[in-house]
Amino acid sequence: MGNPLPAGTFDTNALSWGSYGAERGIWRLLRALERTQRRASVMVSGIFGERTPATVRAIAEAGHEIVAHGFTQDTIPAQLSPDQVRTDIAKTTAALQAACGERPCGWISPRGTPSAHSAALLLEAGYLWQGDAFDDDRPYLQIFDAGALVAIPLTMEINDLPHAMRFGRSPRDYLDLFEEALGQMLRRDDEAVMIDVTSHAHVYGRPAGAWAFEAIAAKVGAMARSQRMFARQCDRLI
């Protein structure tokens, strides 16, 4: 929070603020995705598999990808030993699989901060990709003796947490930033790049911000429909 309490004081304010995501925010974002007919990759902490399994199951049943996000958000892999990282991966995977019946195949660490051993241990645990990468514009392979893991680089530009909480920008700015970035990228055809849009259920899952997330989803959906129509027209011409 903006005014941290003295060390050792339990911050009930922060607990209540964060709990909004599981109580209300995730459901509002899921409804927005349903209305716009979009699918999302939803980062879920393992502890929610134990505490709110019905919610985790509803996310998966709606067709969204469950992405393992560590067991709790204060468990930072970079601070753990290799054995502790392996245990956290196993515990998180088991909790999410028990909740929704599906084993997650993607992983993003809390804070996006893995240990030096995380990628190899994720591969060992059967994961196919990880998002703890910020060093490229496109997915790439991480090669290990045991095989390969896909690294999907993420960005922080269109992410509601730093956008609203750190910089105090508005939901309108969030939408404008996406539209400006998309417009500029579409002007160039010499490379493929990704845009990732991140919304936290306890931040823009609230009414004041959810509309901007939905507007972006709607725009993406409209572009997808336009591309499908163009493809069908090309098929008819051929």
Side-chain angles (χ1 to χ4, degrees):
M1 301 302 290
N3 51 343
L5 300 177
T9 305
F10 184 78
D11 195 337
T12 54
N13 178 299
L15 175 65
S16 183
W17 179 70
S19 296
Y20 181 92
E23 184 68 25
R24 296 291 181 196
I26 185 60
W27 299 107
R28 180 171 289 108
L29 295 177
L30 288 174
R31 291 194 298 272
L33 290 166
E34 182 179 11
R35 285 191 293 268
T36 57
Q37 299 182 319
R38 295 295 90 201
R39 296 293 176 262
S41 296
V42 183
M43 291 177 274
V44 184
S45 299
I47 195 169
F48 285 116
E50 294 185 354
R51 294 186 177 180
T52 59
T55 301
V56 178
R57 187 164 53 253
I59 295 170
E61 289 177 349
H64 305 295
E65 179 186 21
I66 298 292
V67 179
H69 198 28
F71 194 75
T72 62
Q73 289 304 289
D74 58 353
T75 304
I76 309 299
Q79 299 174 323
L80 305 179
S81 69
D83 284 343
Q84 289 173 321
V85 172
R86 181 182 284 110
T87 297
D88 184 59
I89 292 171
K91 186 177 181 180
T92 301
T93 305
L96 295 177
Q97 184 172 11
C100 67
E102 298 178 7
R103 182 184 176 88
C105 64
W107 175 285
I108 298 175
S109 297
R111 199 177 174 273
T113 308
S115 81
H117 308 280
S118 289
L121 294 175
L122 287 168
L123 179 63
E124 174 187 287
Y127 279 81
L128 302 179
W129 68 271
Q130 58 90 5
D132 295 333
F134 302 88
D135 55 355
D136 207 334
D137 294 319
R138 296 181 296 275
Y140 60 89
L141 288 178
Q142 293 178 305
I143 307 299
F144 301 92
D145 292 340
L149 186 72
V150 177
I152 301 181
L154 300 178
T155 64
M156 298 296 288
E157 285 84 1
I158 310 172
N159 183 317
D160 62 343
L161 194 59
H163 178 90
M165 301 305 298
R166 184 184 303 169
F167 301 117
R169 295 170 179 155
S170 72
R172 171 60 63 185
D173 293 331
Y174 181 78
L175 175 57
D176 289 345
L177 181 60
F178 170 79
E179 292 181 334
E180 290 172 359
L182 179 63
Q184 293 299 325
M185 292 175 187
L186 288 175
R187 285 191 176 92
R188 302 187 62 89
D189 60 2
D190 58 342
E191 62 176 346
V193 296
M194 301 190 316
I195 302 178
D196 71 272
V197 176
T198 300
S199 179
H200 292 76
H202 60 296
V203 184
Y204 274 7
R206 298 174 188 266
W211 71 267
F213 175 79
E214 183 167 351
I216 292 175
K219 186 175 184 69
V220 171
M223 292 181 64
R225 287 190 295 273
S226 177
Q227 289 173 346
R228 286 196 295 270
M229 290 177 61
F230 178 74
R232 287 196 292 269
Q233 290 172 348
C234 289
D235 288 340
R236 285 196 292 271
L237 290 173
I238 293 172

